[in-house]
Amino acid sequence: MPDTAASSVLFVCVHNAGRSQMAAAFITHLAGNRVQVRSAGSAPADTVNPAVVEAMAEVGIDIAAEAPKVLTTDAVQASDVVITMGCGDTCPVFPGKRYLDWELPDPAGKGVEAVRPIRDEIEKRIRGLVDEIAPASRA
């Protein structure tokens, strides 16, 4: 893949209010413009989970202005890697895409104490993904 082409990743969970929002924020924070990022939900909530917003703020990432988005076929088609987090069979599957399913607890209805370990696991997985698909320049 040429250096000018950024990989594109779509994070999908049911409500797009917790796990997928954290994953999208971490990859944007860690990879910047080296990765094109999307997140969506199969049944989006009205707002991002406040405990998730608080947990991310604790690590210096502000997602307070984010809003859940509905999963579309176009978003899947435009992505190289699709990472699902509990959306079951609602994510459309297209040939040529790489699909990963990250089994992570759902932070819905949980306080920030319960969200922190989920956040930390997502960050760990995102760091590995960034190293794989968008390594920093060795220049």
Side-chain angles (χ1 to χ4, degrees):
M1 182 185 309
D3 290 346
T4 56
S7 293
S8 58
V9 179
L10 170 64
F11 296 100
V12 183
C13 65
V14 175
H15 301 296
N16 190 222
R19 296 166 289 189
S20 56
Q21 290 285 349
M22 288 189 280
F26 271 125
I27 202 165
T28 299
H29 179 74
L30 295 168
N33 62 3
R34 297 191 324 265
V35 177
Q36 190 176 65
V37 182
R38 296 175 184 83
S39 73
S42 53
D46 294 329
T47 60
V48 175
N49 179 333
V52 167
V53 173
E54 183 179 345
M56 292 301 287
E58 291 176 352
V59 295
I61 301 175
D62 181 5
I63 63 169
E66 294 299 325
K69 295 166 278 308
V70 69
L71 176 64
T72 65
T73 301
D74 290 343
V76 177
Q77 287 178 313
S79 302
D80 300 315
V81 181
V82 179
I83 299 177
T84 58
M85 303 174 183
C87 71
D89 296 329
T90 60
C91 188
V93 175
F94 293 96
K97 306 292 174 195
R98 179 177 172 199
Y99 291 89
L100 300 172
D101 184 40
W102 288 357
E103 289 189 31
L104 297 160
D106 188 348
K110 296 183 168 94
V112 71
E113 301 80 20
V115 173
R116 286 182 190 121
I118 301 167
R119 173 201 66 201
D120 295 345
E121 178 62 24
I122 290 171
E123 179 183 15
K124 183 177 111 184
R125 293 181 189 205
I126 291 296
R127 286 184 182 280
L129 182 67
V130 168
D131 287 346
E132 178 187 335
I133 68 171
S137 169
R138 305 281 187 238

